Amino acid sequence: MSSVIAATRFSVLDRSRTREGHDGPAALRDTVRLAQEVEALGYHRFWVSEHHGVPGVAGSAPTVLAAAVAAATRTIRVGTGGVMLPNHRSLVVAEQFGVLESLFPGRIDMGLGRSVGFTDGVRKALGRDKDDARDFAAQLTELLGWFRGTSETGVRARPAEGLTVPPYVLAVGEGATIAARAGLPLVIGDIKGREKMLRGIDTYRDAFRPSPWLAEPYVMIAGTVAVAETEEEARRLLIPEAWSMAYSRTHGTFPPLPPAERVETLTMTEKERTFYESALSGQLHGTQEQVADELERVIKESGAQEVLVTTSTYDREGLLDCFRRLARLRGPAAG
């Protein structure tokens, strides 16, 4: 067992991906069950995501889903990865997290992102456009102010005011600098894009300013990790998401995850094949020993305190086995 891995927290982000033959409600129930399973394996936190109008993703209301996850678990931290702040009024976000923290004290995380929708149609439906993401730093300041009771409106965010719900910033583009200047923890991916990720972490640490929320930089690296008995089995766990990514790049929408065996029989266009192979290449996958070596390397390079695993696949038993094997890397106390 690596001492570096043993000293690192491991957490899970589940995007409630739909699967062929299984509808959206089934995907949400799968998410709640997975949270219970990874809690038993000793993972530190379990987060859910926000997507709107995406056929392959059922998780559209992360604070609602987080409430269901928290109610079904006992000890694991629960949060969002993340609530896309430009889509919402900060008062409403503060109120929602205030309710969550009141119901499940000491277990709620507030992961926040700056995306504003996958397509023009979604952005129009939300009443937003791409430029709204530019105001993320100000929106973040406004949101945190509701918990401190500093709003100039004279309105009080109830029951959020006075509560401490740890905020995390999901880094996209300039997100690392925003997190640093606000003195907040950084969530950054993708492990696959190592050089870009490491540059973002360096930017964050260089610009970090201590805040009432955080005294020193805290880095959570995020990405896909697939562990199985053999390297080939681990690679097959990656196939459904890789094909979904390739399809989205060529058709403009994420489809439900197909079984790996069906993807392997598909006749792809040259463009689809290029995106598909690109999605598979460089992913962190293999046997426990192979993944342990690669994880130790990336943790040392990044200096990260935590790894957020974002793996999605069609095979739910294979996914759970992956999380079991990953937990074993941290030793008996973790799993």
Side-chain angles (χ1 to χ4, degrees):
M1 179 183 65
S2 162
S3 59
V4 172
I5 292 176
T8 304
R9 289 170 168 169
F10 278 72
S11 300
V12 172
L13 167 66
D14 189 70
R15 290 174 293 173
S16 303
R17 294 288 272 113
T18 57
R19 299 178 292 150
E20 288 187 0
H22 304 265
D23 60 12
L28 297 173
R29 292 190 291 269
D30 283 343
T31 291
V32 175
R33 279 193 293 269
L34 182 62
Q36 294 172 318
E37 290 160 342
V38 301
E39 177 182 57
L41 292 171
Y43 284 81
H44 183 63
R45 65 181 101 236
F46 187 93
W47 282 5
V48 296
S49 62
E50 175 182 340
H51 295 273
H52 300 284
V54 181
V57 183
S60 57
T63 53
V64 177
L65 185 53
V69 169
T73 54
R74 295 185 301 108
T75 57
I76 195 168
R77 296 196 64 86
V78 176
T80 56
V83 165
M84 297 299 126
L85 202 49
N87 291 340
H88 310 280
R89 301 303 303 180
S90 63
L91 170 61
V92 176
V93 175
E95 289 170 338
Q96 290 172 346
F97 279 98
V99 170
L100 284 169
E101 176 63 21
S102 298
L103 293 173
F104 310 102
R107 292 180 57 205
I108 300 301
D109 299 323
M110 185 168 56
L112 305 163
R114 60 194 294 266
S115 296
V116 287
F118 184 62
T119 65
D120 289 338
V122 170
R123 288 189 288 271
K124 183 177 180 180
L126 291 170
R128 299 292 186 268
D129 58 44
K130 292 181 179 179
D131 290 341
D132 288 313
R134 297 177 183 175
D135 299 328
F136 180 66
Q139 293 162 349
L140 184 61
T141 299
E142 182 182 6
L143 171 63
L144 299 183
W146 289 115
F147 290 90
R148 293 291 186 253
T150 58
S151 173
E152 297 178 356
T153 64
V155 176
R156 315 293 284 272
R158 307 185 191 278
E161 187 175 319
L163 298 180
T164 299
V165 183
Y168 296 77
V169 174
L170 279 63
V172 178
E174 65 185 50
T177 301
I178 292 172
R181 290 174 177 170
L184 299 179
L186 175 72
V187 184
I188 187 167
D190 189 341
I191 292 174
K192 177 182 176 182
R194 194 78 49 87
E195 292 184 7
K196 182 178 180 182
M197 182 186 76
L198 294 176
R199 287 197 301 271
I201 292 171
D202 287 343
T203 297
Y204 169 70
R205 290 203 173 101
D206 290 344
F208 183 83
R209 301 172 183 171
S211 74
W213 300 92
L214 190 66
E216 298 179 348
Y218 188 93
V219 174
M220 191 189 312
I221 55 175
T224 297
V225 181
V227 194
E229 186 172 353
T230 68
E231 185 175 0
E232 181 57 30
E233 287 179 88
R235 183 181 181 277
R236 294 189 87 246
L237 289 176
L238 302 173
I239 286 175
E241 188 68 64
W243 166 245
S244 180
M245 181 64 68
Y247 190 93
S248 75
R249 298 291 297 275
T250 53
H251 294 77
T253 186
F254 285 93
L257 295 176
E261 53 268 25
R262 191 175 79 75
V263 176
E264 292 170 328
T265 66
L266 293 174
T267 301
M268 301 184 195
T269 66
E270 183 177 346
K271 191 174 184 180
E272 287 171 340
R273 176 66 62 179
T274 298
F275 284 129
Y276 173 69
E277 295 294 346
S278 175
L280 283 174
S281 65
Q283 297 284 16
L284 207 165
H285 74 285
T287 64
Q288 285 180 218
E289 293 76 15
Q290 290 171 322
V291 168
D293 289 343
E294 189 63 25
L295 266 179
E296 182 171 12
R297 186 176 300 112
V298 71
I299 292 169
K300 285 181 176 178
E301 289 177 353
S302 65
Q305 290 97 330
E306 188 166 347
V307 176
L308 182 67
V309 183
T310 63
T311 309
S312 298
T313 191
Y314 179 89
D315 179 3
R316 299 299 293 187
E317 184 51 46
L319 181 63
L320 180 56
D321 181 65
C322 168
F323 286 130
R324 288 194 194 105
R325 292 175 184 273
L326 189 57
R328 289 179 197 142
L329 297 183
R330 300 192 60 244

